[in-house]
């Protein structure tokens, strides 16, 4: 009320407060009695029990939820594994069906056509200067006795030394007895201008007389044979020489792979281990580093795999290694392995090792030529180890057969990049999916890596090693001579790319081996060779640039 005193208003406020009873209970006289304390303690204990039970109940609910979540995840994982296994079983069943179908197709034979009727006899052709008249078949020529000249036939891969500094590649063909067999062997070093027939895209033998072609019949492969994946039966392709042993070795290696696959189907121990050994070999090859002494673990792992294939821990059939080398070998006194046969698994692993080496060169060394050096060290070490020699000599021909197929330029082959047949002779790869040629940049990178890899193997110094160099520097000299002695009109961009790849980052070692002769060879390769080129391709310009780089970096004036 308005007329009430302040004391009465405060009295009304206290009486209307909801906490008055609680406060008054605390201010009573018996607030400190034992009974009051016991009641307060009991109330606090009851509250504690309530909170504790609520916490326990919450914890148990959380544990239950986590258990349910774990069981759900476990169930989902099992279902996923079951799905994967079902897919694997379906895939295996599909592969088995396809394999049975393939076997059935292999067993299916198609009857051959009956022979064509014999043509009517024609008049005897008129002989002019000992050869048949144009348009008439040549008379058969008696078979030559090739055994008499087999011992004097020079090897196309023999090492040749420089004879003069003015023209270091002038005598690379040799003289003397080699001239007697020039009619049966093509000379990759001889400087000859292209004939009108070859310039028009016709075979090089088109200008020979029919009698000469008949006499050389044994030097060529029969119709239907293939070289670098192209049939030799076409009339617009040059004849394929049968003495290209590396192509034969490459075919034998494919047959070896099929032979091991058949063995694995009959031998469970071989089947279990062969795939693992191949994968371990590839893995260790992919882990090579450029640091000195950083590849000891990888070298030991690869040697352990090869030793395992040799000592019989993984059984495999024995085969004759003669199908994988270019020379004929007899037992050598003191050699570790003089037996006529070696375990097929050992040769298979050498083949897989060579394949991994080629892949490393292609994938890593095109952009970084320096990365080829540790791969070259590993390759030379494996193929020079005494335990892996056969009859005292290396088995590096297995690797060189792969080089011959993927980079024929290293072995003196050349062709036009504007034609399909020329690209095949240069080692231009086809796209597996589309069937067309791979892009030019990809082809260039491949050739760079293979050239750098070849040089990393050929320019190894074994002067302080007890082992024999498996691929001495003479092969490097021969390779350069084959490229540099190409006629100017036939120089291709691929040849120039490979030539620069084998020189770049290797000029110092080349000079260490050959001295002033190497300098003359570099002048021939980097100055005179590009000047003779008719087409000014990027590869030709790259050789001239390489000469300027040597002058700038190491002061070598060519």
């Amino acid at each position: 009320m308005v007329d009430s005193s302040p004391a009465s208003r405060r009295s009304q406020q206290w009486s209307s407060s909801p906490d008055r009873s609680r406060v008054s209970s605390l201010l009573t006289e018996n607030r400190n009695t034992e009974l009051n304390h016991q009641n307060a303690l009991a109330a606090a204990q009851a509250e504690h029990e309530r909170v504790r039970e609520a916490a326990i109940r919450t914890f148990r609910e959380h544990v239950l939820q986590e258990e349910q979540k774990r069981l759900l995840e476990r169930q989902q994982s099992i279902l996923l594994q079951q799905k994967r296994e079902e897919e694997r079983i379906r895939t295996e069943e599909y592969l088995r069906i396809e394999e049975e179908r393939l076997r059935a197709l292999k067993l299916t034979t198609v009857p051959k056509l009956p022979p064509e009727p014999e043509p009517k006899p024609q008049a005897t052709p008129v002989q002019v200067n000992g050869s048949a008249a144009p348009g008439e078949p040549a008379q058969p020529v008696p078979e030559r006795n090739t055994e008499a000249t087999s011992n004097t036939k020079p090897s196309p891969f023999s090492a040749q030394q420089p004879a003069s500094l003015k023209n270091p590649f002038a005598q690379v063909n040799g003289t003397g007895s080699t001239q007697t067999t020039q009619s049966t062997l093509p000379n990759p070093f001889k400087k000859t201008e292209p004939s009108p027939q070859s310039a028009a895209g016709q075979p090089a033998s088109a200008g020979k007389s029919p009698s000469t072609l008949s006499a050389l019949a044994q030097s060529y492969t029969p119709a239907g044979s293939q070289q670098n994946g192209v049939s030799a039966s076409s009339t617009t392709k040059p004849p394929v020489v049968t003495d290209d042993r590396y192509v034969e070795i490459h075919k034998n290696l494919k047959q070896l792979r099929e032979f091991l696959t058949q063995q694995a189907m009959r031998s469970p121990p071989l089947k279990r281990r062969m795939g693992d050994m191949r994968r371990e070999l590839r893995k260790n090859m992919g882990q090579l580093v450029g640091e000195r002494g950083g590849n000891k673990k990888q070298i030991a792992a690869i040697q352990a795999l090869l030793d395992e294939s040799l000592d019989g821990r993984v059984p495999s059939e024995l085969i004759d290694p003669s199908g994988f080398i270019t020379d004929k070998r007899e037992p050598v006194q003191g050699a570790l392995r003089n037996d006529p046969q070696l375990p097929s698994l050992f040769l298979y692993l050498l083949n897989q090792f060579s394949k991994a080496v080629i892949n490393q060169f292609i994938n890593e060394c095109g952009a970084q030529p320096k990365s080829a050096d540790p791969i070259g060290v590993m390759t030379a070490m494996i193929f020079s180890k005494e335990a892996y020699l056969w009859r005292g000599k290396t088995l590096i021909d297995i690797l060189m057969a792969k080089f011959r197929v993927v980079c024929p330029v290293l072995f003196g082959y050349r062709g036009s990049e504007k034609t399909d047949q020329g690209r095949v002779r240069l080692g231009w790869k086809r796209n597996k999916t589309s069937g067309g040629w791979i892009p030019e940049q990809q082809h260039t990178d491949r050739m760079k890596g293979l050239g750098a890899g070849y040089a990393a193997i050929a320019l190894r110094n074994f002067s302080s090693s007890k082992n024999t160099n498996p691929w001495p520097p003479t092969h490097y000299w021969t390779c350069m001579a084959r490229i540099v002695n190409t006629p100017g009109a036939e120089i291709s961009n691929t040849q120039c790319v490979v030539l620069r790849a084998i020189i770049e980052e290797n000029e110092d070692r080349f000079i260490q081996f050959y001295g002033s002769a190497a300098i003359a060879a570099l002048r021939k390769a980097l100055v005179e060779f590009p000047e003779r080129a008719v087409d000014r391709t990027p590869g030709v310009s790259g050789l001239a640039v390489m000469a300027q780089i040597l002058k700038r970096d190491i002061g070598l004036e060519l």
Side-chain angles (χ1 to χ4, degrees):
M1 297 176 65
V2 180
D3 297 334
S4 61
S5 63
S8 63
R9 287 199 298 270
R10 283 197 299 270
S11 175
Q12 292 176 1
Q13 292 174 0
W14 279 108
S15 61
S16 63
S17 174
D19 296 334
R20 179 174 177 78
S21 59
R22 184 180 302 175
V23 175
S24 61
S25 63
L26 295 175
L27 298 179
T28 56
E29 294 179 357
N30 58 351
R31 65 180 182 277
N32 291 326
T33 61
E34 182 179 359
L35 180 61
N36 192 21
H37 282 287
Q38 290 179 353
N39 292 336
L41 181 60
Q45 188 174 2
E47 181 66 16
H48 174 73
E49 290 295 332
R50 184 188 67 79
V51 174
R52 181 174 176 274
E53 291 177 357
I56 293 174
R57 183 173 61 255
T58 303
F59 174 73
R60 289 176 178 175
E61 291 177 355
H62 176 72
V63 171
L64 181 60
Q65 292 176 356
E66 290 294 325
E67 183 68 17
Q68 291 177 349
K69 183 179 179 181
R70 186 183 65 81
L71 293 176
L72 182 60
E73 292 178 352
R74 177 62 176 170
Q75 182 181 5
Q76 293 177 350
S77 176
I78 293 175
L79 292 176
L80 181 59
Q81 293 179 3
Q82 290 178 353
K83 184 177 180 181
R84 290 177 179 175
E85 290 297 320
E86 291 174 356
E87 292 179 354
R88 181 186 63 81
I89 293 173
R90 285 196 298 268
T91 303
E92 291 181 355
E93 291 177 350
Y94 175 76
L95 291 177
R96 178 180 177 84
I97 293 173
E98 292 297 326
E99 185 176 358
E100 292 177 353
R101 181 184 176 189
L102 177 61
R103 293 183 180 180
L105 291 175
K106 288 182 178 180
L107 296 176
T108 304
T109 58
V110 179
K112 296 183 179 180
L113 293 174
E116 296 181 358
E118 296 182 359
K120 296 180 180 180
Q122 298 179 356
T124 304
V126 180
Q127 299 289 332
V128 180
N129 293 333
S131 62
E136 299 293 340
Q139 295 296 328
V141 178
E143 213 176 75
R144 282 189 178 182
N145 185 8
T146 57
E147 296 180 357
T149 60
S150 61
N151 295 331
T152 61
K153 181 178 180 179
S155 171
F157 308 107
S158 60
Q160 302 293 340
Q161 297 295 337
S164 64
L165 298 183
K166 183 176 180 180
N167 190 355
F169 302 120
Q171 300 296 329
V172 74
N173 289 328
T175 57
S177 62
T178 60
Q179 296 178 355
T180 62
T181 59
Q182 288 181 356
S183 61
T184 59
L185 276 180
N187 193 342
F189 305 101
K190 186 176 180 181
K191 294 183 179 180
T192 56
E193 293 301 328
S195 62
Q197 290 84 358
S198 62
Q202 298 298 327
S205 60
K208 297 178 181 288
S209 65
S211 60
T212 306
L213 294 178
S214 301
L216 297 181
Q218 293 183 348
S219 297
Y220 300 126
T221 57
S225 64
Q226 293 187 353
Q227 179 182 11
N228 282 351
V230 172
S231 174
S233 61
S234 175
T235 59
T236 60
K237 300 173 184 178
V240 182
V241 183
T242 56
D243 63 354
D244 193 345
R245 176 62 176 162
Y246 287 130
V247 174
E248 298 178 6
I249 293 176
H250 193 264
K251 294 179 181 179
N252 294 339
L253 291 173
K254 291 184 177 181
Q255 297 176 1
L256 173 66
R257 183 177 58 189
E258 297 177 358
F259 179 62
L260 263 295
T261 303
Q262 296 175 0
Q263 280 192 60
M265 297 175 63
R266 301 189 302 267
S267 174
L270 178 61
K271 183 178 181 180
R272 287 194 300 266
R273 188 66 182 127
M274 187 173 70
D276 294 338
M277 297 174 82
R278 182 180 67 252
R279 285 185 288 270
E280 290 177 16
L281 193 149
R282 292 179 179 175
K283 181 189 69 174
N284 285 282
M285 284 300 299
Q287 295 176 350
L288 296 180
V289 296
E291 300 177 0
R292 185 178 181 86
N295 297 320
K296 294 182 179 180
K297 181 179 178 181
Q298 290 80 3
I299 294 174
I302 293 176
Q303 291 180 349
L305 293 174
L306 295 174
D307 294 339
E308 185 179 356
S309 66
L310 283 171
D311 57 17
R313 281 178 285 174
V314 182
S316 63
E317 297 184 19
L318 300 177
I319 60 174
D320 186 5
S322 299
F324 310 103
I325 56 177
T326 58
D327 57 340
K328 184 178 181 181
R329 301 182 185 178
E330 299 295 337
V332 179
Q333 184 177 4
L336 290 179
R337 307 194 184 281
N338 274 326
D339 299 333
Q341 294 180 326
L342 289 177
S344 55
L345 180 60
F346 170 68
L347 297 174
Y348 170 80
L349 289 181
L350 282 182
N351 180 34
Q352 293 299 320
F353 172 75
S354 302
K355 185 177 181 180
V357 168
I358 294 294
N359 289 335
Q360 288 292 106
F361 286 149
I362 292 175
N363 297 330
E364 296 185 5
C365 305
Q368 297 179 348
K370 291 184 178 180
S371 60
D373 193 64
I375 306 174
V377 172
M378 168 73 80
T379 303
M381 185 176 299
I382 293 297
F383 282 107
S384 66
K385 189 175 181 181
E386 186 178 6
Y388 307 144
L389 305 181
W390 184 58
R391 293 182 173 176
K393 294 182 181 180
T394 179
L395 295 171
I396 199 172
D397 289 332
I398 295 176
L399 173 62
M400 291 302 140
K402 295 187 177 297
F403 264 112
R404 161 64 183 87
V405 172
V406 296
C407 190
V409 173
L410 294 170
F411 299 87
Y413 289 84
R414 54 181 180 262
S416 174
E417 297 176 338
K418 300 177 182 179
T419 64
D420 289 349
Q421 194 271 342
R423 288 191 171 193
V424 170
R425 291 181 63 83
L426 291 173
W428 202 303
K429 187 180 179 181
R430 287 187 179 273
N431 194 315
K432 293 182 179 180
T433 56
S434 63
W437 301 107
I438 61 175
E440 183 177 0
Q441 184 60 46
Q442 185 178 352
H443 168 71
T444 301
D445 292 340
R446 283 171 56 88
M447 295 298 106
K448 286 181 180 178
L450 292 169
Y454 185 88
I457 296 173
L459 292 178
R460 300 249 68 90
N461 189 354
F462 273 69
S463 59
S464 59
S465 175
K466 64 178 182 179
N467 297 333
T468 303
N469 192 338
W471 199 250
T474 50
H475 294 283
Y476 180 91
W477 181 278
T478 304
C479 169
M480 184 180 293
R482 287 168 170 165
I483 299 176
V484 171
N485 287 339
T486 302
E490 299 181 19
I491 296 175
S492 64
N493 184 71
T494 301
Q495 287 180 301
C496 297
V497 170
V498 173
L499 182 60
R500 175 170 178 172
I502 65 175
I503 295 176
E504 192 172 8
E505 303 292 344
N506 299 297
E507 63 279 350
D508 53 346
R509 284 186 289 184
F510 184 38
I511 295 175
Q512 289 176 4
F513 280 114
Y514 287 98
S516 56
I519 298 177
L522 290 175
R523 179 173 61 250
K524 193 82 174 177
L526 300 179
V527 178
E528 299 178 13
F529 179 69
E531 289 178 353
R532 293 191 292 108
V534 175
D535 297 332
R536 310 306 297 179
T537 62
V540 173
S541 303
L543 292 176
V545 172
M546 184 67 194
Q548 298 300 323
I549 293 176
L550 294 181
K551 179 180 179 181
R552 181 196 65 190
D553 294 347
I554 63 177
L556 181 60
E557 177 66 50
L558 298 177

